[in-house]
Structures are given as structure tokens and as C-alpha cells.
Amino acid sequence: MSENLPRTLVPRVPERNLGRFRENEGHEKLNSWEVFETPSHSLEVLKEAAEYLKTKDVPVAFPTETVYGLGADATRSAAVKGIYAAKGRPSDNPLIIHISDLEMLRSLLTPEKSTSNGTANGGHDPIPEIYKPLIDKFWPGPLTILLPNPTPSRLAPEVTAGLKTFGVRMPNSPLALSLIKLTGAPLAAPSANASTKPSPTTAGHVLEDLYGRIDLILDGGPCLVGVESTVVDGLCDPPVILRPGGVSIDELRCCAGWEKVEKGYKDHSETGKSTPRAPGMKYKHYSPKAKVILYEAAFEKGRDGIQIDDIEDLVRDREAQQIPVSKGGPLRVGIIRTRHWKPAAGLRCSNLKRWVREESQEADELYVQEGEFHDTTSGATVGKLLDVSIGEDTRSIAQGLFSALRELDKRDADIIFVEGIVDDEDIGAAVMNRLRKAASRIRS
Ligand code: TXA
Ligand code: MG
């Protein structure tokens, strides 16, 4: 391949035996992340990636337990600008910082010129008390906390997009922790999708969006959680959740000081007068090319699926409904099922075939059934069906959600019907938040 052609390398980096937390006696639960220096292919790849992050201004994609992130050294402006450029992200939307240990966090909380490392500073710990129970319980893990950004700050100004706070989390992924540790700097990382697309939960998803725009994607396999971290602000009283995510409101409420935590986000259109509190919430998000129609869990309770009338009406009326048809011919209808809808959502179908992904047998594998469906009276073929189930359990639904939206997009679905779930079970709020943002129509 010519040197001038943009290309993107995607090395496989098995996560096993990369490192561990070193627990010093008498110290807090989380101590420094230690990388095992045992020579291995993974370690070599990570060292090269870390070197790249230290010296180049093009971001590197890496897996976390939530979604893939697009990382850059959070202390270097040129590197952080590279993230906004690669993603096509508006620069007023701040980025989450990823750290490998609490000392790294303390150094970010102390003004740049100060020599203090926090705890040595007269015994004063710069981490606010309100966050200690959360850090203890959820880190490393899918929780982002907001903290005051000191002046002067060690962080590049582009990270915070002019806000007085920064968002930070310690990811629960040996690969991510090792990469941060080897880089020796906190990594700013938004989700590694092109702006407005569903977040990526495999290296393949990142490649689809960013091929040729970045040089390196570290492939650690599919993400376990599948939705992004919960973002909380504990600097106000009562504390608020700015974005629902991989930690549920009930789990937060079990922590001292967080019993009264409130929802500070809105799921429905934020185009009204009030400015959304998490700047990211005002943009179009999580959208596949297809038009998404979300059925709230309460919709016509007791039915096993969407009614054929819904689809037949749409097919007949597709111009009025403004459904773009990507390939001409019959309408391509995607269905994402969760708990109650039957296969093919009760439609009269023929030739239903289970399609199996050829190249891998990964845990993220989704089985899509393909077939045709017919008019109930005339029997005429009215559309092509692409049916996928992402499981009944909330965790499995969260894990498969973005993959399913992307898969149906790849198969040129014109429209996608999604079976919603209840908000208040485990991380159902995160699932429904993403779906409501992806949907152009909600049936409730
Ligand atoms: O799980 C995750 O959080 C993933 C992985 C890669 O760690 N990252 C992620 O980043 O989802 P991103 O940039 O796609 O979303 C960050 C969200 C946005 O809604 C942003 O507005 C909000 O966090 N945010 C970041 N810093 C903030 C701040 N200082 N104040 C309020 N909201 C903030
Ligand atoms: Mg994102």
C-alpha cells in the first residue's frame, strides 16, 4: 500500500494478564495501576500506542468496558484538537478524562504550578468528600464525576470547552488502564463514533466510522456494558445525574450523600428554551441512517408485537411518512426485539433465514433473521424483514443495542421498529435514553 493512502491499523490486543492494581499497605482500596512488564504481543502494541499518544496529534481508539473511546493526551492542546477533527464533533461539547489511578486525579485537582501531590499537602485531599463513596464503590467502572478545574489547570482548555468543571472516570478495562499508565498522562476520550452515529462497541464499528481518519484502533473485543458511563454532578445539592449510563440510579442511591440524587437530564426533545446541563445532550445522537420508531414499554400492553397494520400503513404511505428507501424495491424493515415481541413481531413472513456473521464467533454476535412479509389480505409481498433479538435481560439489551442499530444500518434498513423496555429496572434508563434520542417517532 502506498505511504500516502490513509489507512488504519487494527491490532488485536488480548486483555488478559496486562496488569493489576497495586495495593500499598494502609492505603485506600484503589492504588496505582501496575502494568505487568512480562514481554507479550499486547504489551508491545500498547507501548507503541502510548508512544504515539505522547508524540502525535492524531487520536488512538481503544476499548473501555462501556464503549470504544477516541483518546488523546488530555494535557496537550494539539492532541485534543485532533479528537474534535477526527470525530467531526462540535468543540463546545466537553470530553471525559480517563485516569489510571487516584494520584493522577489528585494532580489534576491541584493547580499546575503547585508542587503538591494532594495528600502530601498538609494532609488535605483535593478529592471532594461527596465523591469518596462513589469512587469506592464504582471505580474502576462506568461512572463519570464532575470536578472543579483549578487555575491554572494541567488540562488543555479544549478538553473542558470553557466550563469550570471537568468530567473524569477510571475505566474498568485492563487495556485502557494499561494504555493510560504507559502514556503517563490522563487521556481525554469521547466515544469513538463519528458525531451523531451510535457509539461503537467493537473495533469494527470504529473502523466503519473513522477509517482513514485515524491511524490506530486497539481491538480488545466487544465492550461488556455497551452503553456509556453515567455522568453525575455532586458539586450541587442535591446531586444530579446528567446522563444515565452503566451505573443505575438505584445503585447511586445506596451511597452515603447520594440518597436524594435527582435526574438532571431530559429524554425528550431538548430543543426548548432551557440549556441542557450536559452540553452533549443538545446534539442529535445515536442515529442510524434508518428512521427509528420506538415503542415505549407501556405501548398497548399485552400485545405480542407491533401490528401488521402499522407496517402496512407505512408501506402504503411511505412518501407521506418521509421514509427514504435506500435501494428501491420493497421497503426494508428492521425490527429490534427485547422482552415480549415474538420473532418477526407477529408478521406473516416467509423465507425467514437466520443469518450468521461469517468472520467471528464473538460474544457480540447478533443473529439477524431475514425474510419477506406479506399483505394480510392479498398475500402480496410488501417488504423485506430484518429481525434481530437483543435478549430479555437489561444488561444484555444494553450490550447489544448499538450493535443492532449499526447492523441494521449496514443491511440498508429503511426503517427500524424497536421494542422499548421500562426505565426503572437496572440500567434500563440508559437504554431508553439512547433509544429516545435515536428515534424520530415514539409510540407511547
Ligand atoms: O463511557 C463513556 O463515558 C465513554 C467512554 C469512552 O469512556 N465516553 C463518552 O464520552 O461517552 P462522550 O464525549 O461521548 O460523552 C461525554 C458526555 C457528554 O454528554 C458531555 O457533554 C458530558 O459527558 N460532559 C463531559 N464533561 C462535562 C462537564 N464538565 N460538565 C457537564 N457535562 C460534561
Ligand atoms: Mg458520545
Side-chain angles (χ1 to χ4, degrees):
M1 190 186 287
S2 147
E3 274 297 287
N4 300 325
L5 279 179
R7 65 205 166 100
T8 304
L9 296 179
V10 191
R12 239 2 260 258
V13 187
E15 283 202 313
R16 260 179 301 130
N17 300 324
L18 272 175
R20 59 151 189 219
F21 282 103
R22 190 180 49 231
E23 293 182 37
N24 296 329
E25 272 173 53
H27 277 72
E28 54 211 329
K29 188 183 99 188
L30 297 166
N31 273 287
S32 189
W33 180 257
E34 181 184 27
V35 180
F36 292 143
E37 284 295 331
T38 326
S40 71
H41 161 74
S42 297
L43 183 63
E44 283 318 304
V45 173
L46 287 185
K47 281 187 165 164
E48 277 176 36
E51 196 49 40
Y52 189 97
L53 283 164
K54 281 192 250 188
T55 53
K56 300 277 202 300
D57 299 332
V58 177
V60 171
F62 65 95
T64 77
E65 79 282 26
T66 57
V67 301
Y68 273 67
L70 189 60
D73 178 345
T75 65
R76 293 197 300 117
S77 279
V80 176
K81 283 183 185 154
I83 296 178
Y84 290 103
K87 255 189 90 119
R89 178 177 174 117
S91 58
D92 64 342
N93 192 2
L95 306 172
I96 292 174
I97 316 283
H98 298 69
I99 51 159
S100 56
D101 45 73
L102 295 185
E103 280 320 302
M104 194 178 257
L105 176 57
R106 292 194 173 99
S107 81
L108 294 178
L109 290 167
T110 359
E112 194 188 4
K113 305 252 155 32
S114 160
T115 51
S116 147
N117 68 357
T119 39
N121 180 16
H124 170 70
D125 186 351
I127 301 175
E129 285 304 314
I130 183 77
Y131 288 125
K132 298 271 173 80
L134 299 192
I135 289 174
D136 243 27
K137 188 158 175 202
F138 302 115
W139 278 9
L143 181 77
T144 296
I145 61 177
L146 292 199
L147 287 162
N149 196 21
T151 332
S153 171
R154 286 168 216 267
L155 294 171
E158 292 78 9
V159 170
T160 52
L163 297 175
K164 292 195 160 55
T165 54
F166 65 90
V168 62
R169 78 182 193 97
M170 189 187 289
N172 188 13
S173 143
L175 195 159
L177 291 164
S178 301
L179 182 66
I180 301 164
K181 186 76 185 177
L182 291 167
T183 309
L187 295 183
S191 48
N193 50 292
S195 230
T196 81
K197 291 279 155 214
S199 296
T201 55
T202 68
H205 296 163
V206 183
L207 197 64
E208 278 161 26
D209 283 13
L210 301 180
Y211 178 81
R213 300 172 82 164
I214 57 175
D215 296 328
L216 192 57
I217 301 168
L218 302 172
D219 180 359
C223 300
L224 288 176
V225 179
V227 288
E228 302 86 341
S229 60
T230 301
V231 180
V232 295
D233 184 354
L235 303 174
C236 52
D237 188 24
V240 290
I241 299 175
L242 298 181
R243 178 179 72 179
V247 170
S248 72
I249 192 163
D250 289 336
E251 287 175 294
L252 289 168
R253 285 189 173 143
C254 290
C255 296
W258 291 80
E259 298 85 352
K260 298 202 162 78
V261 63
E262 287 181 356
K263 265 173 70 172
Y265 61 91
K266 281 202 210 113
D267 278 337
H268 297 284
S269 164
E270 268 115 14
T271 48
K273 296 126 225 150
S274 65
T275 314
R277 304 217 25 213
M281 310 288 274
K282 72 179 177 225
Y283 297 105
K284 182 175 147 121
H285 253 131
Y286 313 114
S287 322
K289 283 183 288 192
K291 180 166 172 167
V292 175
I293 299 188
L294 170 65
Y295 286 66
E296 290 282 342
F299 184 78
E300 295 191 59
K301 250 196 178 119
R303 287 191 179 181
D304 292 330
I306 28 180
Q307 298 301 293
I308 182 102
D309 298 355
D310 283 338
I311 294 185
E312 284 178 355
D313 285 352
L314 280 169
V315 173
R316 259 183 244 118
D317 198 21
R318 72 190 188 198
E319 269 170 43
Q321 305 270 358
Q322 294 181 317
I323 303 167
V325 178
S326 51
K327 284 200 165 165
L331 189 71
R332 297 169 71 84
V333 176
I335 291 177
I336 299 179
R337 294 183 287 121
T338 57
R339 298 206 170 119
H340 304 295
W341 288 3
K342 297 233 162 76
L347 297 174
R348 264 185 55 200
C349 276
S350 63
N351 312 327
L352 264 188
K353 285 199 294 274
R354 195 159 89 151
W355 176 84
V356 183
R357 192 190 298 274
E358 302 120 36
E359 70 270 28
S360 79
Q361 297 296 316
E362 299 272 13
D364 72 312
E365 199 164 286
L366 289 171
Y367 294 107
V368 180
Q369 311 236 49
E370 288 197 350
E372 283 169 349
F373 61 92
H374 313 286
D375 188 286
T376 28
T377 39
S378 71
T381 302
V382 285
K384 169 125 185 167
L385 187 80
L386 307 160
D387 172 287
V388 52
S389 161
I390 51 175
E392 294 177 14
D393 171 71
T394 309
R395 294 268 157 179
S396 137
I397 294 166
Q399 195 188 37
L401 179 69
F402 291 139
S403 259
L405 289 171
R406 280 178 174 270
E407 189 59 48
L408 292 179
D409 233 4
K410 268 212 294 218
R411 288 153 170 274
D412 296 314
D414 298 304
I415 186 158
I416 302 174
F417 293 89
V418 188
E419 179 192 355
I421 60 171
V422 287
D423 280 271
D424 51 7
E425 243 175 64
D426 194 18
I427 56 171
V431 169
M432 289 307 287
N433 171 265
R434 307 308 187 264
L435 281 174
R436 288 175 188 133
K437 283 173 182 294
S440 53
R441 216 163 99 198
I442 298 176
R443 308 285 301 254
S444 53

